[in-house]
Amino acid sequence: MEGIHHLHNCGNVSYNISGSSCCNGNISPGLSQLVADCCGSVAYNPLNEICCDSKVLTQSSTHVKCCGKDMYLTTTHMCCGGNRIFNRKENLSCCGNTTFDKTTHCCCANPELVVMPKHETCCPKATDEMKESQQGSPPTLTLPKNSEPKCRTIPFNPQEKMCCSGKLYKASALTKCCGEHVYTLSDDSVLCCNGVLHRNVPEQSECVGGVIYTAANTTCQMSTRPRLGEHCCGGQTFNPRTHICCNGHSHNKMNGNFCCGSEVYDHHNQFLRCCSGHLYNLTQSRGKAECCGNLLLQYNNNQTCCSSSTNSIIYQTKPKHRCCGLYYYNTSLWSCCAEHLKPTPKPNSSPAEYRIKPLMDLIPEMCNKTVFFGKVESVALANYQRHVVLKVVGQVNVKSEKVIKDPWLHVSLDHCNSPATDNGMTYLWEENHNGKYKLLSHPVDLTSDIYMFYSVCYQKKG
């Protein structure tokens, strides 16, 4: 299948993990597997939901846990025996599926758990109670249970076995998971790329953006010798003066001079949009759409895109929910500050007004604006303001009177309502009319990304 590097298998059906999840052979659309867990055969968002006895429940707090098929608040209640909920009280502890006052009674294993008066010989000594109370509140005595982790529903010993997407394999220091398969680091003929294991790949191959690239000095796997002036493109030759090679597929430059995955396109065409290697035709949506990773987010479609510097995910829009980097959280459970979630809700806080995007997703919109590339040299926090020292490394569409003469800029951002910034990373910035600076892009590559940005914008101009 074309574009197979973006797809995974769920039984005998293919799906994109950025927009769907696979649980026990069933696809759950609308929730990415990157942020989902399985509850039986249904995917759920563990940030806002909880799975209790194969049933998905909406969390009422970040401090809830399961007690059998029900949910309880750990700050006010306690679960005994795995299925009975009691009000949490001072000196109250569990003994099997019942409770006891540990100032007057104890829990004895005889051999089943029973509550006995504290003077009985089976009661633990005071030193034992102290050790027990230090491990959690309230202390709970239960029968010994198998604490081994599970691979789906099968317990396993991680010293001997490893679990790869629900399948067990023999563990080894050199053995790694790749989706539901395993491979050894010493095998140079295999390559794990975005959770898909590829075999019989050339040596020194690399996985970049879900695409496998072979070393620059590899030759065409052909039985014929390339003609003079021709280069390799997959299993064929091509003339780079007249054609362009996109992931092993040769295209005439008359059809465009930019690659999108294995396809070629004209970036001047406003009805074509390249989203991380996927080319979309926007004719039906009249151009009113934007990229969300390798998916297309259409406006007025009741969808929200949340993104980080590594991934982007589309969620179904819900009331009182906001993005925090990659995650879509319930404001009654969480708060967000600089793309970091905190279990302290602040419902009245103002949401971030925008989300940053990959550099190429900002074209052609940014070609007509005065923007610059700034490298974060240092960051300090004071009075909820993030003070950033930037080194200007390049400017775009700058008039002579607006050239930044001092390469060092001091920028202040609203810390919690602004995306996170990392020292040493370069971003695209914009100066607003009021002298404020706005962060626009994910971290960029100083060579390839900036060169592509300049070349596309200046080609557009003339």
Side-chain angles (χ1 to χ4, degrees):
M1 297 174 61
E2 289 291 333
I4 191 67
H5 55 273
H6 289 288
L7 301 177
H8 289 66
N9 289 331
C10 184
N12 60 352
V13 180
S14 62
Y15 73 106
N16 191 320
I17 64 173
S18 296
S20 302
S21 301
C22 178
C23 294
N24 293 333
N26 294 313
I27 294 180
S28 297
L31 182 60
S32 169
Q33 192 162 304
L34 298 172
V35 294
D37 282 341
C38 289
C39 185
S41 299
V42 179
Y44 72 101
N45 188 343
L47 201 64
N48 308 314
E49 299 168 319
I50 189 171
C51 176
C52 296
D53 197 19
S54 299
K55 183 180 180 181
V56 179
L57 304 175
T58 300
Q59 291 186 30
S60 58
S61 164
T62 55
H63 302 288
V64 295
K65 289 185 177 180
C66 290
C67 186
K69 62 180 180 180
D70 297 314
M71 177 177 63
Y72 74 102
L73 188 61
T74 57
T75 55
T76 59
H77 291 76
M78 53 194 290
C79 177
C80 296
N83 58 6
R84 297 193 64 188
I85 300 174
F86 297 90
N87 288 327
R88 184 180 289 273
K89 297 179 181 178
E90 187 178 3
N91 298 322
L92 198 66
S93 206
C94 287
C95 183
N97 60 1
T98 188
T99 61
F100 69 99
D101 186 340
K102 61 182 181 180
T103 61
T104 58
H105 291 75
C106 74
C107 186
C108 295
N110 193 25
E112 295 183 354
L113 296 176
V114 292
V115 177
M116 301 289 288
K118 200 167 185 179
H119 59 77
E120 294 291 332
T121 56
C122 67
C123 291
K125 297 179 181 179
T127 55
D128 295 332
E129 288 182 350
M130 262 176 118
K131 290 180 182 178
E132 188 179 278
S133 64
Q134 290 172 355
Q135 296 175 357
S137 178
T140 303
L141 182 61
T142 58
L143 287 172
K145 290 185 178 181
N146 188 351
S147 60
E148 290 183 336
K150 292 184 178 181
C151 185
R152 294 202 187 275
T153 58
I154 304 174
F156 74 100
N157 184 351
Q159 302 293 332
E160 301 175 354
K161 298 283 187 179
M162 59 189 300
C163 180
C164 300
S165 296
K167 291 189 176 182
L168 284 172
Y169 297 93
K170 184 178 179 180
S172 167
L174 294 178
T175 302
K176 300 293 181 182
C177 288
C178 184
E180 60 181 17
H181 302 286
V182 293
Y183 68 102
T184 57
L185 295 177
S186 58
D187 190 349
D188 56 7
S189 66
V190 300
L191 182 63
C192 182
C193 192
N194 279 21
V196 178
L197 189 64
H198 299 263
R199 304 183 187 276
N200 301 318
V201 297
E203 292 185 21
Q204 300 180 356
S205 297
E206 296 290 340
C207 171
V208 181
V211 179
I212 295 180
Y213 292 86
T214 57
N217 60 352
T218 55
T219 58
C220 298
Q221 303 297 316
M222 298 176 62
S223 57
T224 59
R225 185 186 299 274
R227 294 188 296 271
L228 184 65
E230 291 185 327
H231 296 249
C232 294
C233 182
Q236 299 177 337
T237 60
F238 80 109
N239 188 336
R241 296 180 183 275
T242 59
H243 288 69
I244 184 172
C245 183
C246 300
N247 290 350
H249 293 73
S250 176
H251 300 275
N252 194 310
K253 286 185 176 180
M254 297 290 292
N255 299 322
N257 56 358
F258 282 91
C259 290
C260 184
S262 59
E263 299 181 79
V264 68
Y265 75 107
D266 181 3
H267 62 276
H268 298 302
N269 189 336
Q270 62 178 343
F271 292 106
L272 292 179
R273 188 67 50 85
C274 180
C275 299
S276 299
H278 274 217
L279 188 63
Y280 292 94
N281 192 321
L282 309 185
T283 304
Q284 294 182 347
S285 58
R286 298 180 181 178
K288 297 180 179 180
E290 64 177 73
C291 294
C292 181
N294 59 12
L295 301 176
L296 190 68
L297 179 70
Q298 296 188 358
Y299 299 151
N300 302 321
N301 202 22
N302 198 33
Q303 291 181 324
T304 299
C305 179
C306 297
S307 61
S308 67
S309 60
T310 55
N311 283 302
S312 299
I313 294 176
I314 292 180
Y315 295 87
Q316 293 298 317
T317 302
K318 295 182 178 180
K320 298 183 179 179
H321 282 62
R322 295 175 186 168
C323 289
C324 187
L326 192 66
Y327 301 101
Y328 195 51
Y329 69 98
N330 188 333
T331 56
S332 63
L333 302 177
W334 306 87
S335 62
C336 179
C337 182
E339 298 186 349
H340 291 283
L341 282 171
K342 297 183 179 181
T344 50
K346 297 178 181 178
N348 296 325
S349 62
S350 58
E353 296 180 354
Y354 66 100
R355 67 180 180 91
I356 57 177
K357 302 176 182 179
L359 182 64
M360 297 311 294
D361 288 358
L362 296 170
I363 299 173
E365 178 188 358
M366 289 299 128
C367 290
N368 297 320
K369 294 188 177 182
T370 301
V371 294
F372 66 92
F373 292 98
K375 180 182 178 183
V376 177
E377 295 290 343
S378 64
V379 179
L381 187 65
N383 298 324
Y384 303 103
Q385 291 289 308
R386 190 189 320 159
H387 301 283
V388 184
V389 176
L390 291 178
K391 182 179 180 181
V392 179
V393 296
Q395 296 177 258
V396 181
N397 197 38
V398 180
K399 297 180 181 178
S400 58
E401 67 271 15
K402 289 192 175 182
V403 172
I404 301 176
K405 297 179 180 179
D406 186 353
W408 301 98
L409 282 181
H410 297 266
V411 175
S412 294
L413 303 173
D414 184 321
H415 177 60
C416 282
N417 287 332
S418 298
T421 51
D422 295 323
N423 280 348
M425 303 305 292
T426 301
Y427 304 84
L428 187 68
W429 300 78
E430 179 185 15
E431 182 180 3
N432 297 329
H433 299 296
N434 55 5
K436 299 281 187 178
Y437 293 94
K438 180 179 179 181
L439 177 62
L440 298 176
S441 75
H442 294 312
V444 300
D445 185 272
L446 276 174
T447 53
S448 61
D449 285 346
I450 293 181
Y451 170 78
M452 182 70 74
F453 187 87
Y454 273 100
S455 63
V456 172
C457 282
Y458 284 118
Q459 282 186 27
K460 182 177 179 60
K461 286 175 181 296

